[in-house]
Amino acid sequence: MSPSDLVQNETSLPIIGPCLSVRGSLTVIGFTLTLWLIFPWVWANTDSFVTPRDYRTPIVLSDDYWQFSEFTQQTSARNQVTIFGDSVIWGEYVLPNHSLAGHLNRSQEQLEFANGGVNGMHPLAMEGLVKHFAQSVQSSPVLLHCNLLWLSSPDRDLRTTKELPFNHPTLVPQFDPWIPCYHATISDRLGNLVFQRSSLRQLVRHQRSIYFSGLTYPTWSLQRGRLRRAGTPVPPQTITSRLPQNKLRHQPIPWTERGISRQSYPWVDLNDSLQWEAFQKTLVELKSRECDVFVLVGPINAHLLEADSQQRWSQLRASISRWFSSHQVNHAAPDVLPSVLYGDASHPLDEGYQHLATELLADVDFQDWLKRNSNENASREKGSKK
């Protein structure tokens, strides 16, 4: 038999394998789409978890945005004020009910505040979090934290050209604006865009975080299989608690006792800042939902800054305050806390949050904002009872 005969015989062999008809293909596609759309709805409506009043996102669930979405839905249903922010709002050196939200709740009775702080939630990520995972926050009061520490250097502003790892990359804009230090592939960027808009993929990450220690099921299963083959005892499956732990993450020691040296931050210009642009977009997003937003500027530990850096920070804070005033944005920029009330460059200690709450409640604009939204909440509750 010649080589040409072999080629002819091979090409004429029948293809062995499943072959779906057009009707079968449409059935599979229809089933997949149904699962994609229905399963998250079923899960959300059968999930019995209720966030407690002093809830804050557990550290291990910082990138579980499905959980954050459930949290904001419940705070909205309770007519609570969500405080959006990073670890300064979360409370790095305090217990869950001793963050800014806890002290505000103990110091007044007009509105109830909920701790929506998430560790590492810089403005570029906050834009995505609010847009895609806090959609239930509509026509309600919001306290939005503006942390100038994200503008303290080109690295923190994410506009340095060298590749730089940062928190919450799945939340940031993937193409516009272009983030110079974000070197993800086009495939990863497109996948993140799908994740931001796909409730099924968000739910899958939630289940991985809760039931499989953040791993995919195949990886989790393979690890356990290796342990069995090696004769090593396989630990029982653990479920990550969705409740905040009532214990300190770090010891509440003033920054002066931690050996932290004074810093000279190369603050970025507002006109060139990616983080500031993202903060403005978050503000616009909340305003478009008819939310009554109050912005809290600070608290930066100016005691830690060298003289030149402190002067630049002061100018930057003044520029931002002027921008808020010119755009009719309710805001407050409280005085710098006493030095001993900071744990580091921006995180207050327990007494620092109490001091900050007192300063905020003494602000005339904040008092007006409290009263206005307290009256609106009362009217809304009265209307719902009729």
Side-chain angles (χ1 to χ4, degrees), residues 6 9 21 23 28 50 74 83 86 104 117 139 158 173-174 196 210 254 270 277 316 318 340 342 344 355 374 384:
L6 287 173
N9 290 338
S21 63
R23 182 176 180 180
V28 171
V50 177
Q74 294 185 27
I83 310 180
D86 51 24
L104 285 173
S139 304
L158 303 188
Q174 300 297 310
Q196 292 170 3
I210 300 297
L270 282 182
E277 180 185 3
L316 190 66
V340 295
Y342 287 98
D344 51 34
H355 194 288
S374 177
S384 64

Side-chain angles (χ1 to χ4, degrees), residues 80-129:
Q80 291 177 295
V81 179
T82 305
I83 310 180
F84 288 108
D86 51 24
S87 56
V88 172
I89 297 303
W90 189 88
E92 199 75 3
Y93 299 100
V94 299
L95 297 173
N97 63 344
H98 284 259
S99 63
L100 178 61
H103 282 291
L104 285 173
N105 288 335
R106 281 189 291 275
S107 301
Q108 53 80 45
E109 297 180 350
Q110 293 174 278
L111 293 174
E112 186 174 21
F113 291 82
N115 187 343
V118 179
N119 272 260
M121 192 55 63
H122 51 92
L124 279 161
M126 178 67 72
E127 179 189 349
L129 184 74

